[in-house]
Amino acid sequence: MQGIDVSENNGLVDFGAVRNWGYDFAIIRLGYGNDHLDSCFYDNVNAALGAGLKIGIYYYSYALDEDMARKEADFVLDILEGCGLTTDKLEMGIWFDMEDADGYKAARMSFTPQLITNMCSIFVNAMWRAGYSRAGVYANLDWFTNYIYTDQLSCPKWCAQYANACDFDDAFMWQFTDSADIGGKQFDANKLLGEW
């Protein structure tokens, strides 16, 4: 099963075309950082479901400590509860995007793998306690290898590695390209490797 992940950065998405190109699901960014809702979140959720795609959500973390990770989890849960996205509607799960793509964390903290791992655990456990049994962590191969103690996380892992194969043995889902062309627009494409 293959799908795409989307955010406001993708602009207006034709999810009917996504479905027609053979994709089965969409992982939709709910938001990022300190209470920032993705401006296309609700539109993307409704359009993807309307096109018959399975959905999940992800949240890009800007947490610098454990308390900030808790606040991000609380924000996600507030939004999900407010719009009625129950666990049965999120067949592709809830994902905590723990990377530092823009250097924000590196410029503001001396992070250690244990701190990063603890923040991931706090977020995932908050989802589990709220009844969202399908929750995991997203990161690229470098972060899973060097910045996260994956053996301390019993949740699914979604690994980004743009290659012909995924080198992370514990990957539940694999983001294998950032250049999937759907109707002239580029998307990150993902392959489900495990089963919930």
Side-chain angles (χ1 to χ4, degrees):
M1 190 161 52
Q2 293 191 41
I4 61 169
D5 57 274
V6 300
S7 73
E8 63 191 29
N9 299 317
N10 297 106
L12 186 63
V13 177
D14 181 348
F15 285 101
V18 171
R19 179 79 177 172
N20 291 339
W21 278 80
Y23 292 95
D24 306 294
F25 64 86
I27 311 289
I28 299 162
R29 186 173 75 167
L30 183 144
Y32 57 93
N34 187 18
D35 298 350
H36 295 286
L37 182 69
D38 187 293
S39 64
C40 294
F41 174 66
Y42 296 114
D43 290 336
N44 282 336
V45 165
N46 291 328
L49 288 173
L53 295 171
K54 296 180 179 183
I55 66 164
I57 64 104
Y58 75 96
Y59 196 79
Y60 187 91
S61 177
Y62 279 102
L64 302 177
D65 57 40
E66 294 179 10
D67 187 53
M68 291 175 78
R70 283 186 194 91
K71 289 178 181 174
E72 290 182 344
D74 289 343
F75 178 71
V76 168
L77 291 171
D78 285 346
I79 297 297
L80 294 178
E81 181 180 340
C83 66
L85 279 177
T86 53
T87 190
D88 59 305
K89 294 177 184 172
L90 295 172
E91 294 181 75
M92 301 310 297
I94 298 172
W95 300 92
F96 190 51
D97 187 341
M98 178 49 75
E99 294 182 312
D100 195 26
D102 57 6
Y104 180 89
K105 292 182 184 76
R108 290 165 177 81
M109 67 184 285
S110 296
F111 54 80
T112 65
Q114 191 61 65
L115 176 58
I116 297 297
T117 304
N118 290 351
M119 290 192 292
C120 292
S121 181
I122 285 166
F123 184 94
V124 170
N125 278 299
M127 298 303 114
W128 288 347
R129 281 193 304 274
Y132 292 95
S133 58
R134 297 175 176 177
V137 174
Y138 167 92
N140 62 39
L141 179 63
D142 178 54
W143 269 68
F144 274 132
T145 304
N146 298 304
Y147 298 102
I148 301 173
Y149 292 140
T150 57
D151 60 329
Q152 294 181 18
L153 297 173
S154 60
C155 63
K157 286 98 179 167
W158 171 16
C159 181
Q161 181 187 11
Y162 305 145
N164 292 325
C166 185
D167 294 321
F168 181 54
D169 292 337
D170 202 21
F172 180 84
M173 189 158 51
W174 169 36
Q175 185 178 87
F176 60 90
T177 184
D178 62 352
S179 56
D181 187 299
I182 301 173
K185 294 180 83 169
Q186 302 294 309
F187 295 90
D188 295 334
N190 305 276
K191 187 177 294 186
L192 191 66
L193 304 176
E195 293 184 21
W196 292 107

